Amino acid sequence: MPVVVMVVGLGLAVSPARAGAVVADPSKTPIEAVAKINGQVVRDAATAQRLIDAYWTPERMRSAIPWNPEGVIDDPELERRDRPGNVGSPATDARPVAPPPGATARTVNSSPGVGKVFFTKPGGGHYVCSGSTINNPTRNVVSTAAHCIHGGKNGVNHENWMYAPLYNDGATPHGKWPAKLFHATKGWTEHSYHWWDFAFVNVWPVNGKRLVEKTGGNGISFNQSKTIPVTVLAYPSAAPYDGKKQIYCKTNLHWAAAAQVKVFCGLTPGASGGPIFQNYDNAIRFGFTNSVVAYVWGQRNYGPYFDSDVRTVYDRAKNKA
């Protein structure tokens, strides 16, 4: 039985096409977009920090609610055709690293490598998701769900995007990290396919430091077994949870579909984007992000399987400064 606990304290080859034919880009095509704050592209870290600090007051953060995208496609037959699986040898890229001594104050079962995501959408409203810090070469990547950065088919990128590691009821002990670049696939941005619901975000430095320098970072793994022990950490915000603190669930991963996995955790909306960790080390509070929570159905949380297609998107993000 899974245990769910409230955290204490805190290269493409193109086939010939007939003249005039329109060849659609495949769903796995990576996309990259520049994040905006207050409708504008920001050009430097200091401005990004000032604007995000001013926008996301404790009151706004507490009032933010989960966003549930509409028109999401969940079709097993289509999934098998659209994303049949690009599974190579099991691999890891980044490896977990703890923050420098004294850089953080950690409480048992909390992780400075997991945080709450905040954003706005055109037309107004304040929304939340979850995410995790990845120890990438430029020390600035957050892993989350694609619907936590973009509205999906016929939608646009979210704005005023901010990541708050170890968020705790309005407090942001490790700062507010503004988004700089978004990375996802056309499978989400053009089609709203559940099985492409993953994303990576490069964040701006804060106070002259990069994210991993402040919080430490998780590793990331690809092409792993779909039946391994895992630990999920996130900020579910719908009842019976309130989004104030991290919640974790220790359980086993299960096969769900051609390109999805599931866990029996019942984490409610707000948990989207939260990491599904392989080999979570409770001594240093970091692990290997192996999938992300995409949605909940009953007591089951589903996420995209991290195969070589996911790695392609991560590889585009990991060296961006």
Side-chain angles (χ1 to χ4, degrees):
M1 293 291 290
V3 180
V4 181
V5 183
M6 180 172 292
V7 174
V8 179
L10 297 176
L12 290 177
V14 180
S15 300
R18 69 184 185 276
V22 176
V23 180
D25 288 336
S27 294
K28 68 180 182 181
T29 303
I31 62 97
E32 178 180 304
V34 177
K36 293 181 179 181
I37 303 176
N38 298 332
Q40 302 295 319
V41 173
V42 176
R43 302 298 181 184
D44 64 275
T47 300
Q49 181 179 347
R50 174 176 56 81
L51 294 175
I52 284 294
D53 278 344
Y55 190 88
W56 286 111
T57 63
E59 293 74 25
R60 280 178 170 162
M61 288 188 287
R62 291 192 183 101
S63 71
I65 61 175
W67 178 63
N68 295 311
E70 298 180 355
V72 178
I73 305 299
D74 192 12
D75 181 329
E77 197 59 44
L78 175 60
E79 180 175 348
R80 280 190 287 270
R81 298 194 306 269
D82 182 69
R83 192 179 170 200
N86 182 10
V87 183
S89 299
T92 60
D93 195 294
R95 299 191 65 83
V97 60
T104 62
R106 294 195 299 262
T107 310
V108 174
N109 295 331
S110 60
S111 174
V114 176
K116 196 164 183 176
V117 167
F118 297 85
F119 58 91
T120 62
K121 290 177 55 59
H126 301 122
Y127 299 93
V128 293
C129 277
S130 300
S132 63
T133 307
I134 305 297
N135 181 29
N136 65 302
T138 52
R139 306 182 300 283
N140 67 352
V141 163
V142 176
S143 169
T144 189
H147 75 261
C148 300
I149 68 161
H150 189 280
K153 185 178 181 179
N154 299 321
V156 297
N157 291 311
H158 305 327
E159 295 191 9
N160 301 311
W161 197 98
M162 182 270 284
Y163 174 67
L166 207 61
Y167 172 88
N168 182 18
D169 193 18
T172 56
H174 299 294
K176 305 173 188 175
W177 298 80
K180 184 178 183 180
L181 294 171
F182 295 136
H183 305 267
T185 66
K186 290 190 174 183
W188 176 258
T189 62
E190 294 188 359
H191 304 294
S192 294
Y193 291 156
H194 261 317
W195 48 95
W196 295 104
D197 197 358
F198 63 88
F200 299 99
V201 182
N202 299 105
V203 295
W204 286 98
V206 170
N207 293 327
K209 285 191 173 184
R210 295 190 179 274
L211 177 60
V212 175
E213 295 169 347
K214 179 69 174 180
T215 66
N218 298 289
I220 189 168
S221 54
F222 309 96
N223 301 318
Q224 304 294 316
S225 169
K226 293 182 179 180
T227 57
I228 56 175
V230 293
T231 302
V232 186
L233 290 97
Y235 286 84
S237 298
Y241 306 109
D242 58 15
K244 293 180 179 180
K245 299 177 181 179
Q246 286 180 25
I247 302 295
Y248 77 79
C249 171
K250 294 182 69 66
T251 186
N252 291 314
L253 195 66
H254 298 267
W255 178 93
Q260 294 184 79
V261 291
K262 65 185 176 184
V263 290
F264 290 86
C265 290
L267 299 177
T268 59
S272 292
I276 300 176
F277 282 128
Q278 177 191 25
N279 294 336
Y280 183 72
D281 187 334
N282 201 47
I284 64 170
R285 309 300 192 263
F286 292 90
F288 290 84
T289 298
N290 190 56
S291 182
V292 296
V293 175
Y295 65 103
V296 61
W297 184 264
Q299 291 299 305
R300 295 162 293 180
N301 291 107
Y302 292 80
Y305 176 62
F306 273 25
D307 62 4
S308 296
D309 287 332
V310 180
R311 186 169 192 170
T312 295
V313 180
Y314 171 72
D315 284 347
R316 291 172 63 92
K318 71 179 185 181
N319 294 312
K320 299 284 186 177

